[in-house]
Amino acid sequence: MDMLTNPFDDDKLREECGVFGIWGADNAASFVALGLHALQHRGQEAAGITSFDGKHFHSHRAMGHVAGNFDRDETMGKLAGHSAIGHVRYSTTGESGLRNIQPLFAELAESGFAVAHNGNISNAMKLRRTLNRRGSIFQSTSDTEVIIHLVATSGFSTTLDRLTDALKQVEGAYSLVVLTDDGLIACRDPLGIRPLVMGKLGEATIFASETVALDVIGASFLRDVDPGELILVNDGGIRSFRPFEKLAPRPCIFEHVYFSRPDSIAEGKSVYEVRKNIGAELSREAPVEADYVVPVPDSGVPAAIGFSQASGIPFELGIIRSHYVGRTFIQPSQEVRHLGVKLKHNANSALVDGKSIVLIDDSIVRGTTSVKIVQMMRDAGAREVHMRIASPPTRHSCFYGVDTPERAKLLAAQMNVEQMRDYINADSLAFISIEGLYRALGEDRDDAQPQRCDACFTGDYPTSLTDVTEKDRGTPLSLVASR
Ligand code: SF4
């Protein structure tokens, strides 16, 4: 286990990207760096910023966190201009990883073109093969580069029309910020699978994956970018276009369960409140007698508060997280490395000894962490360990910009709930139902036309998945690297 990651987050689905863009601010790149810092939870392995000073584009892209890469005057001084976009991502490592760090940039015939993308193009491999046959030479393995080549080869004249033409050819999920000579463009796919919000700071217009990135720079939240909406911001003002066929939106339900920060507002709903509602629903659907409700830190906390408040069982911190195991902590040996979980998290033995506890976590992916946590509670003397999960069983892979293990490695794809309970050695195990999850959002799931993407729980994918055959649906796209 690598100490650079939170051991308890090691067995989670991972949002792969966060994006941020700003038009109309002096030192625009500084705002992007702060915004990306607030979006760091959406991608911790690489970050990049591209700015435009009215004549030239400037870029800095690097492996690692935003802090450490974008906090030096020397770096920020090179990112001049009053408009800029940025991106955080999970990445592959090594040289190919560096090539894939966004924003991607190309000097097109009529304009420079920088793009930062959250999502995944699910027909990228097919489009790439076609473009390759026509002579396109790709610089990266990122699916996002397909968009650049489609823009470059479009028969339309303006950048906006070329981008629209390109996006009409792609399927899947995309929330984009694009910087060109003629302005900043933000766009969300017609289903609105990944989030994108719009804000204002003085005269500046901002787009970001989540509202927390607006909060950090003191910007006010204006509204969500609508599914299928394309917004151009430049000296001529702000113009909104809806160039795609109107579809019923299907935003990702997992943003509310885990990906978004709890202090974000998503689709007008407080993520924190929704997570508390999920905990309350869970306590009604799968009640249990216990002495304490204990969250798995940190993502299980809001649902545990909701579970506690609805059930009347006291909320207690039975697992304590150390805040002093940082990125610079070097493990001296392989043996010590294996102690990683205990270095970062430890059971509060004085509390749990002899007690019956209900552990609340947001999801079970492979189940490896759940096994360790239950054992940690038992080692600390817990009399009974009940596990409640704030999402339905994760049975299917995501193809929309989330790093999911192949289906064969998803515990819930291999076992029923009783087998999973036995595997993690809990006294009882229950997941919230898909209906309960929608209720927590204040909605009734329309089974004929679900209001959200919930495919990782139901297998009901809202788009065609051209690159994925029925046979290997459980395998994430392998030839097109994730961003
Ligand atoms: S498959 Fe799951 S994680 Fe992926 S977009 Fe849909 S709900 Fe979100």
Side-chain angles (χ1 to χ4, degrees), residues 53-179:
D53 64 11
K55 284 190 177 157
H56 303 289
F57 287 82
H58 311 276
S59 251
H60 183 71
R61 306 181 299 160
M63 302 295 291
H65 282 200
V66 179
N69 280 312
F70 292 97
D71 53 2
R72 283 185 290 275
D73 289 346
E74 190 192 344
T75 306
M76 298 312 294
K78 289 179 187 160
L79 294 168
H82 73 299
S83 56
I85 62 172
H87 191 260
V88 287
R89 70 184 288 255
Y90 282 102
S91 69
T92 50
T93 52
E95 195 272 334
S96 68
L98 280 174
R99 280 189 293 145
N100 288 337
I101 298 174
Q102 298 192 16
L104 297 182
F105 178 78
E107 205 64 74
L108 304 184
E110 71 292 345
S111 170
F113 188 94
V115 57
H117 171 203
N118 177 201
N120 188 69
I121 307 300
S122 56
N123 63 340
M125 285 160 62
K126 184 167 185 228
L127 289 168
R128 194 181 173 103
R129 279 195 296 272
T130 307
L131 286 159
N132 271 331
R133 277 199 298 272
R134 288 189 201 148
S136 291
I137 298 169
F138 282 78
Q139 305 290 323
S140 75
T141 54
S142 162
D143 60 323
T144 307
E145 196 182 347
V146 166
I147 296 174
I148 293 181
H149 286 275
L150 290 173
V151 172
T153 54
S154 169
F156 288 87
S157 55
T158 69
T159 307
L160 203 62
D161 286 342
R162 285 167 172 262
L163 177 61
T164 304
D165 181 37
L167 294 178
K168 283 184 175 175
Q169 297 173 64
V170 306
E171 68 178 31
Y174 52 85
S175 282
L176 303 175
V177 286
V178 174
L179 194 57

Side-chain angles (χ1 to χ4, degrees), residues 48 62 67-68 79 125 189 210 222 225 267 272 300 321 326-327 371 375 385 413 416 451 467:
L79 294 168
M125 285 160 62
D189 67 72
E210 293 182 40
L222 288 179
V225 176
E267 302 140 35
Y272 180 76
R321 175 179 170 192
R327 288 172 50 72
V371 170
Q375 192 57 46
V385 183
N416 62 31
Q451 305 92 310
D467 292 342

Side-chain angles (χ1 to χ4, degrees), residues 111-284:
S111 170
F113 188 94
V115 57
H117 171 203
N118 177 201
N120 188 69
I121 307 300
S122 56
N123 63 340
M125 285 160 62
K126 184 167 185 228
L127 289 168
R128 194 181 173 103
R129 279 195 296 272
T130 307
L131 286 159
N132 271 331
R133 277 199 298 272
R134 288 189 201 148
S136 291
I137 298 169
F138 282 78
Q139 305 290 323
S140 75
T141 54
S142 162
D143 60 323
T144 307
E145 196 182 347
V146 166
I147 296 174
I148 293 181
H149 286 275
L150 290 173
V151 172
T153 54
S154 169
F156 288 87
S157 55
T158 69
T159 307
L160 203 62
D161 286 342
R162 285 167 172 262
L163 177 61
T164 304
D165 181 37
L167 294 178
K168 283 184 175 175
Q169 297 173 64
V170 306
E171 68 178 31
Y174 52 85
S175 282
L176 303 175
V177 286
V178 174
L179 194 57
T180 74
D181 290 20
D182 188 40
L184 173 65
I185 302 168
C187 186
R188 205 167 162 207
D189 67 72
L191 295 169
I193 295 175
R194 302 255 70 85
L196 192 62
V197 299
M198 183 177 182
K200 196 94 185 144
L201 178 66
E203 293 303 304
T205 302
I206 299 144
F207 299 97
S209 294
E210 293 182 40
T211 59
V212 286
L214 304 177
D215 297 343
V216 77
I217 59 168
S220 53
F221 167 66
L222 288 179
R223 64 179 179 88
D224 286 1
V225 176
D226 287 338
E229 185 179 16
L230 192 151
I231 301 175
L232 170 66
V233 186
N234 59 18
D235 291 339
I238 302 171
R239 277 172 288 169
S240 166
F241 305 88
R242 289 166 199 274
F244 310 110
E245 181 195 353
K246 191 164 171 51
L247 301 172
R250 300 283 297 272
C252 167
I253 204 166
F254 223 118
E255 290 284 346
H256 291 276
V257 173
Y258 177 68
F259 300 141
S260 291
R261 251 173 58 168
D263 44 340
S264 275
I265 307 290
E267 302 140 35
K269 298 178 204 288
S270 154
V271 174
Y272 180 76
E273 284 300 322
V274 169
R275 285 184 193 164
K276 274 175 60 182
N277 292 345
I278 295 173
E281 283 290 337
L282 193 49
S283 81
R284 287 188 279 271

Side-chain angles (χ1 to χ4, degrees), residues 13 193-194 252-254 259 397-398 400 402 453-456:
L13 299 187
I193 295 175
R194 302 255 70 85
C252 167
I253 204 166
F254 223 118
F259 300 141
S397 299
C398 175
Y400 303 123
V402 169
C453 178
D454 51 25
C456 46

